[in-house]
Amino acid sequence: MAAITIDKLLNLVPDSPDKVLALLSTQPELVPKSDAHGYSLLHAAASYAQLPLLCSLVQEYKVDVNMLDEDGETPLFVAETVEIATCLVEELGVDISIQNDESQTAHGKLEMEGESEEVLEYLQEQKSSSAKSNGPELSGSQPSDTANGDSEEIHAPLPLPPNVKIDIGSVSAAEEGEAPDPEFRRRIEELAARDDFQSEEGQRELRNLVAEAIGGLKVNAGDGRSSRRRVE
């Protein structure tokens, strides 16, 4: 009896896929093999639309569904029916984003060659669906209720009045030794402890509070610093 080789098995795929499976049960070491061009049983099963053989190779014999031939192409590149393409993508999990040696995806190659229109349409749908599910996420911003026309964007805090600096959580005495007003201290610490302190509304209240506190301050003509009190 002649020895079974991968080339002989590949020749059996178009017309005798059941015989291929029977032979593989006795010689499973041939399952991941490929010919001199990197053409594997997986590629042959996809190309000739032999669905049971295709599924058995991946699910039973654990062949990598993203196995590449000499052109860097997965079995999806040679799928000629929507049934095979659907099985490869949705059931067996082939990666539709893999590019061959010419930087083409399976979709891109089919589009360029103008073949297998139904498979091309199916892959276009998968490509569009993947693009939507993996769309860019906005970082560093709050969600907005666009349906109701309400914007929830958080803007950068408004600038404080000149010569004023806020140290959240504390109010220090003036450089000249004067103690801060207790009521002002209480109000600013309450504001600083709020969850919305960094929001536009919180910053607006802070500005109003600071403006109220420094409304009557005297300013030295020489250096522009407050001679009464400052908030650090």
Side-chain angles (χ1 to χ4, degrees), residues 101-207:
D101 294 344
E102 296 181 0
S103 300
Q104 299 170 318
T105 62
H107 172 271
K109 183 178 180 181
L110 286 175
E111 188 174 39
M112 184 191 71
E113 295 178 345
E115 298 179 1
S116 305
E117 289 295 329
E118 293 183 353
V119 176
L120 179 61
E121 290 178 7
Y122 170 75
L123 292 180
Q124 178 61 51
E125 293 175 359
Q126 294 300 310
K127 180 180 177 182
S128 299
S129 176
S130 177
K132 290 179 181 179
S133 63
N134 297 321
E137 297 181 357
L138 296 178
S139 59
S141 63
Q142 298 294 325
S144 58
D145 187 0
T146 54
N148 298 324
D150 298 327
S151 174
E152 298 292 338
E153 293 184 7
I154 301 299
H155 302 284
L158 298 174
L160 295 173
N163 305 320
V164 176
K165 181 176 71 173
I166 299 298
D167 181 9
I168 298 175
S170 66
V171 181
S172 65
E175 290 180 344
E176 293 80 6
E178 181 180 349
D181 181 74
E183 176 62 16
F184 175 72
R185 178 189 180 103
R186 181 188 65 78
R187 291 173 63 187
I188 197 169
E189 289 184 345
E190 283 183 357
L191 179 60
R194 284 169 42 175
D195 292 336
D196 65 344
F197 179 71
Q198 294 294 343
S199 69
E200 185 173 350
E201 178 62 26
Q203 292 297 300
R204 183 181 299 111
E205 291 188 29
L206 173 62
R207 284 174 54 81

Side-chain angles (χ1 to χ4, degrees), residues 6 9 24 27-34 40-42 57 61-63 67:
I6 186 61
L9 287 179
L24 287 178
Q27 293 184 291
E29 67 275 7
L30 292 174
V31 171
K33 301 293 184 179
S34 56
S40 68
L41 289 171
L42 201 63
L57 289 170
Y61 289 100
K62 309 305 178 184
V63 177
M67 187 175 185

Side-chain angles (χ1 to χ4, degrees), residues 6 10 33-35 37-41 43-44 47-48 69-70:
I6 186 61
L10 288 170
K33 301 293 184 179
S34 56
D35 67 9
H37 302 288
Y39 193 65
S40 68
L41 289 171
H43 289 83
S47 178
Y48 289 103
D69 62 13
E70 68 174 0

Side-chain angles (χ1 to χ4, degrees), residues 85-107:
T86 302
C87 177
L88 283 168
V89 174
E90 300 182 27
E91 185 174 346
L92 303 181
V94 73
D95 187 350
I96 66 173
S97 68
I98 288 178
Q99 298 181 346
N100 62 15
D101 294 344
E102 296 181 0
S103 300
Q104 299 170 318
T105 62
H107 172 271

